[in-house]
Amino acid sequence: MRDAVRTRWRALVRRLRRVERREVRSFRRWIEHTENLVRASALVAVPLLIALVTALSNAVPGLSYLLFPPLAAGTYTLFTDPEGEYSSPRRFVLGLTTGAASGWVALELVGLAFAEPGGRFQVSAVGAALAVFLTGLATWLLRVEEPSAYACGLLVLLIDASPAAYVVSVAASSSIVALAFVVWRREFYENRARYLYRSTKGDDHVLVPVRGDAGDATARLAARLAAAHEAGKVVLLGLAEEGADPDAVADDLESRAGTVRTRVGVPCQVAVVSTDSPASATLQAAREENCDLVVAPYEQRHGHLSSFVRTLFRGDVDVVAARLRGDERRWRRVLVPVRSAGERAHAKVDFACRLAGPAGLVTVATCIDDERERRAAEERLADVVETFDASFETRVVNDSVESFIARTAKQFDLTMIGASTDRSAASRFVSPPTFERIDEVDAAVAVVHVA
């Protein structure tokens, strides 16, 4: 009885761990999208910063709570749009402070010229108009337009505390927020690739199952990817059928490995396995050889993706399935179509930058159905490329992705597209993956799967 309870308990623990790992992977993929990242950051940062400022302000007797609404609104704008028009810390601090000072000036002028009521919840209509006018004029002349500045200017008219103290508190509180924002943006947001995207930390040990006529070109492409990292290496894998002589396969691979070492300058090893299940053997070899990327030839059977490639795409390592011509040696101009700003887009661009090198050109493009989507598409491309220290060409195209690739692919040495393995089977049935819709395009294509 006790053994049965232990068995059930262990089974339950294993199931919980699988659920936990699945949820962690789902969250990681969700947070890798820049839009989700900044909104989650705002959801955490804004309450914490407002709590900090509130705690500090409580030590100042008589300070009005009316400071916090415009501060919270401005803080949210900073963190949710860190590259936008109102993301300047200088604009944030000076804008809010200028607004508060303008409201103070308006309050003094109204007090001198009019006898209208003022104070707690009794606001002079002339004072309100004058505060808004002075805020707009001052922020415009100083080039620090900030929507929350108008709220600061108006709220001065309501407070019971000293207007001068209010202005000083706005300046101090906004400076604290701006400092926190600068640190967050510089240390985390601008370096988010280091924390979120695994391709900047791995994919430097590359396994190449040598199959088909494009084996040499596939090995060269893998070597170019590996050579971008100092610790890069390539492992050429020979898949010998059961009963075949593995020594003959090994001799052929050693010759290919020597060519890779000489022409690309990257360490290249050889491994041979005898198997009747080449895809499973490839994934197992990747784990045994400590390889985090598999570069394999793109294969089709009867108009559909071969079982070999499909099995690789279902594995737990990153995969590039490349459809190359045997004589291809360089990939200086690379096209990368993207549809979102997550890890998959980042991985494709990272691979493209490795292949193109400093002298090459990477074009990152996205397709839209309506011109009203153009601004959002431009922001999406900016989110993708700004994490790289490189120059890019970006394109927003009002066309279907397959038509765009068919029309422009010959202008590039390689087109890198996603494997769509993150989509459901129903979604893939309704709208087949891009690589299946461009089968007839006569161009070099690399299909990228991120595990």
Side-chain angles (χ1 to χ4, degrees):
M1 180 66 178
R2 186 174 299 175
D3 292 340
V5 171
R6 288 176 180 171
T7 300
R8 285 196 294 269
W9 171 254
R10 290 169 182 168
L12 176 62
V13 170
R14 286 196 296 269
R15 284 197 295 270
L16 290 175
R17 286 177 177 173
R18 285 198 297 269
V19 171
E20 180 184 11
R21 287 194 295 268
R22 186 166 60 249
E23 294 300 323
V24 168
R25 285 197 300 269
S26 298
F27 175 76
R28 179 175 59 81
R29 288 176 177 174
W30 180 84
I31 202 68
E32 284 162 356
H33 290 261
T34 301
E35 180 181 354
N36 295 335
L37 170 66
V38 296
R39 293 191 181 279
S41 297
L43 190 63
V44 174
V46 175
L48 291 178
L49 287 172
I50 295 301
L52 173 62
V53 172
T54 302
L56 295 176
S57 66
N58 285 339
V60 181
L63 182 61
S64 173
Y65 70 93
L66 295 175
L67 156 68
F68 304 114
L71 186 67
T75 304
Y76 181 81
T77 300
L78 279 178
F79 280 90
T80 55
D81 192 14
E83 301 291 341
E85 180 182 359
Y86 299 106
S87 63
S88 165
R90 172 184 174 275
R91 178 191 293 249
F92 175 72
V93 175
L94 289 182
L96 266 61
T97 306
T98 301
S102 299
W104 180 19
V105 172
L107 185 64
E108 296 297 329
L109 291 177
V110 169
L112 292 174
F114 300 93
E116 294 189 40
R120 187 175 181 85
F121 304 122
Q122 293 182 352
V123 178
S124 164
V126 175
L130 186 58
V132 171
F133 171 77
L134 292 177
T135 298
L137 179 63
T139 55
W140 175 49
L141 293 176
L142 294 174
R143 298 182 182 275
V144 290
E145 295 94 333
E146 169 71 35
S148 296
Y150 291 92
C152 286
L154 287 171
L155 291 175
V156 176
L157 307 179
L158 286 172
I159 63 174
D160 290 333
S162 165
Y166 181 80
V167 173
V168 172
S169 66
V170 168
S173 301
S174 59
S175 297
I176 293 172
V177 171
L179 178 61
F181 171 73
V182 168
V183 173
W184 172 82
R185 186 171 66 177
R186 183 180 59 195
E187 300 299 328
F188 180 75
Y189 178 77
E190 293 180 352
N191 293 289
R192 60 192 182 278
R194 181 189 309 168
Y195 307 111
L196 298 179
Y197 303 128
R198 293 176 296 114
S199 60
T200 61
K201 301 186 287 290
D203 291 332
D204 48 8
H205 293 180
V206 187
L207 182 76
V208 183
V210 179
R211 293 162 58 92
D213 297 333
D216 288 339
T218 305
R220 284 194 293 269
L221 185 140
R224 297 291 178 191
L225 291 173
H229 290 175
E230 292 184 2
K233 73 171 184 178
V234 175
V235 178
L236 299 184
L237 177 66
L239 299 168
E241 295 183 358
E242 293 287 354
D245 182 8
D247 292 336
V249 177
D251 291 341
D252 176 66
L253 292 183
E254 286 291 354
S255 176
R256 296 174 188 254
T259 302
V260 169
R261 298 187 198 103
T262 302
R263 294 184 176 178
V264 185
V266 65
C268 188
Q269 302 172 3
V270 167
V272 179
V273 295
S274 298
T275 180
D276 288 329
S277 180
S280 299
T282 298
L283 294 173
Q284 180 64 27
R287 290 187 286 269
E288 293 176 353
E289 296 292 338
N290 195 30
C291 293
D292 38 25
L293 175 65
V294 173
V295 176
Y298 180 85
E299 298 178 0
Q300 283 187 313
R301 292 292 183 272
H302 309 296
H304 298 284
L305 200 63
S306 70
S307 60
F308 174 76
V309 179
R310 285 201 308 270
T311 303
L312 293 183
F313 283 171
R314 289 194 293 266
D316 56 357
V317 296
D318 295 347
V319 178
V320 174
R323 188 179 73 188
L324 306 172
R325 291 181 289 268
D327 59 346
E328 289 179 309
R329 299 178 181 275
R330 296 279 183 175
W331 298 272
R332 293 299 193 190
R333 289 181 54 84
V334 185
L335 172 65
V336 185
V338 300
R339 58 185 176 90
S340 62
E343 184 188 23
R344 290 169 176 81
H346 185 276
K348 290 189 292 184
V349 175
D350 178 52
F351 293 154
C353 290
R354 297 195 209 180
L355 293 173
L361 176 65
V362 175
T363 299
V364 185
T366 192
C367 294
I368 58 176
D369 299 321
D370 191 293
E371 280 299 318
R372 288 174 294 185
E373 303 172 10
R374 182 169 293 275
R375 177 171 295 182
E378 291 172 348
E379 293 176 354
R380 182 162 62 248
L381 291 180
D383 288 339
V384 173
V385 303
E386 68 188 9
T387 60
F388 295 89
D389 186 17
S391 298
F392 295 92
E393 177 189 35
T394 59
R395 296 186 189 181
V396 177
V397 184
N398 192 345
D399 198 356
S400 66
V401 63
E402 60 268 26
S403 297
F404 169 64
I405 294 176
R407 188 175 68 253
T408 62
K410 290 186 177 180
Q411 302 172 15
F412 299 92
D413 301 320
L414 183 68
T415 299
M416 305 201 77
I417 56 182
S420 298
T421 47
D422 57 328
R423 293 167 51 193
S424 66
S427 173
R428 292 163 63 89
F429 177 77
V430 173
S431 178
T434 302
F435 66 84
E436 293 184 359
R437 289 179 273 160
I438 61 170
D439 283 340
E440 298 181 0
V441 176
D442 183 19
V445 174
V447 183
V448 179
H449 159 73
V450 179

